[in-house]
């Protein structure tokens, strides 16, 4: 059944990579933001899985995937995506990335080129020299110092409380779980983004690109115009939502993904299902 989530592990040079999937047909690989896991797409996955083989992986170093030593980088995250795609036999696939996952998706699409049938960048930072130069003055996003009385647990919660509306506490709870899982390295994904030389990679992307963002996500909304100028791509603004848009508007998010993938199906038939 399309709505049944199947979980698995795939080998990689880093160790086991964890993923969840639904459905069958052409593969749609979804990459999460930092410091999340595949659960960012828990409600999206079965909806996209109605029409396609929807796969959400845990990025190397996060969730239940292998956590190698050494510095994180967008390139290493992309190594993990490529390793998963190879292990699952995805000769061609559609790629979706949200926030950090979108930056990783840029690198994957630039590397794999024609293997990426389409690319959807959700709330993805446009990383250029100006953004890299501003990074040292940027306050930490998720970092907290552990305290003996456990008060840092509330601090983790409050780090992102403003992104969620009343009634969305279950999604915020999932964020807290993911952040605590990698608390000693929780900020490194963001740091990797700000080191990435994205502008040197954009010209290598051959897939059609759609850049989308939630209207309240003021961190990423300005990047839509920059991606449109750099790639000549289409852009769209969702009807609502903030940084956690896939959890706040899973139905709309899944509809946007499905419609975009349907426009760029490979012919004849799927080549990426097992």
């Amino acid at each position: 059944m399309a709505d049944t989530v199947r979980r698995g592990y795939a080998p990689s040079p880093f160790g086991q990579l964890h993923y969840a999937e639904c459905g069958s047909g052409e593969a749609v690989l979804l990459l999460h933001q930092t410091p999340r896991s595949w659960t960012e797409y828990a409600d999206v996955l079965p909806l996209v899985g109605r029409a396609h083989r929807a796969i959400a992986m845990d990025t190397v170093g996060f969730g239940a995937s292998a956590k190698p030593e050494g510095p994180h980088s967008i390139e290493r995250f992309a190594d993990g995506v490529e390793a998963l795609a190879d292990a699952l036999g995805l000769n061609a696939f559609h790629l979706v990335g949200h926030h950090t996952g979108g930056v990783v998706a840029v690198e994957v699409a630039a590397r794999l080129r024609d293997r990426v049938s389409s690319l959807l960048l959700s709330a993805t930072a446009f990383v250029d020299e100006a953004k890299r130069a501003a990074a040292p003055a940027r306050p930490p996003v998720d970092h907290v110092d552990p305290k003996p009385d456990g008060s840092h647990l509330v601090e983790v919660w409050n780090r992102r409380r403003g992104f969620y509306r009343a009634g969305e506490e279950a999604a915020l709870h999932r964020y807290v779980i993911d952040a605590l899982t990698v608390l000693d390295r929780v900020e490194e994904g963001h740091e990797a983004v700000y080191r990435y030389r994205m502008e040197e990679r954009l010209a290598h992307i051959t897939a059609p690109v759609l850049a989308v963002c939630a209207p309240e996500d003021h961190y990423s909304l300005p990047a839509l115009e920059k991606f449109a100028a750099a790639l000549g791509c289409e852009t769209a603004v969702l009807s609502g939502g903030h940084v956690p848009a896939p959890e706040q508007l899973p139905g709309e998010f899944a509809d946007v993904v499905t419609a975009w993938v349907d426009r760029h199906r490979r012919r004849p038939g799927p080549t990426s299902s097992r």
Side-chain angles (χ1 to χ4, degrees), residues 137-151:
R138 177 186 62 84
V141 180
D142 298 297
H143 174 78
V144 299
D145 293 315
K147 299 178 178 63
D149 64 358
S151 58

Side-chain angles (χ1 to χ4, degrees), residues 170-243:
L172 180 54
H173 192 195
R174 289 194 292 270
Y175 153 74
V176 171
I177 292 171
D178 288 339
L180 292 177
T181 300
V182 293
L183 191 61
D184 60 330
R185 305 186 66 177
V186 72
E187 203 67 22
E188 289 188 31
H190 304 300
E191 294 167 353
V193 167
Y194 285 96
R195 289 193 300 269
Y196 183 55
R197 303 191 68 83
M198 176 183 283
E199 68 272 40
E200 298 173 5
R201 304 298 287 154
L202 294 175
H204 297 278
I205 295 174
T206 59
V209 181
L210 172 64
V212 305
C213 194
E216 298 172 48
D217 187 347
H218 59 273
Y219 300 100
S220 303
L221 193 59
L224 293 188
E225 292 185 5
K226 293 184 177 182
F227 278 116
L231 295 172
C233 67
E234 297 180 38
T235 66
V237 179
L238 302 178
S239 66
H242 207 307
V243 169

Side-chain angles (χ1 to χ4, degrees), residues 43-173:
D43 295 327
V44 171
L45 205 63
L47 300 178
V48 177
R50 292 173 180 173
H52 304 286
R53 182 185 175 192
I55 306 167
M57 71 174 294
D58 287 345
T59 303
V60 170
F62 295 88
S65 282
K67 297 175 174 57
E69 297 181 356
H72 286 319
S73 68
I74 296 302
E75 291 80 4
R76 183 160 82 169
F77 295 152
D79 289 342
V81 176
E82 188 173 356
L84 180 76
D86 290 346
L88 297 184
L90 307 183
N91 297 319
F93 56 95
H94 304 267
L95 192 57
V96 177
H98 183 63
H99 271 270
T100 306
V103 180
V104 178
V106 165
E107 175 62 24
V108 173
R111 287 185 189 184
L112 301 188
R113 297 173 69 85
D114 291 344
R115 281 182 69 183
V116 178
S117 303
S118 72
L119 176 61
L120 193 155
L121 302 176
S122 172
T124 299
F126 190 93
V127 188
D128 54 13
E129 186 57 41
K131 201 164 190 74
R132 287 190 294 273
R138 177 186 62 84
V141 180
D142 298 297
H143 174 78
V144 299
D145 293 315
K147 299 178 178 63
D149 64 358
S151 58
H152 63 285
L153 301 178
V154 176
E155 189 177 352
V156 172
W157 178 274
N158 287 334
R159 278 283 179 178
R160 298 210 181 194
R161 185 66 184 92
F163 298 162
Y164 294 83
R165 299 166 294 200
E168 295 176 344
E169 289 77 16
L172 180 54
H173 192 195

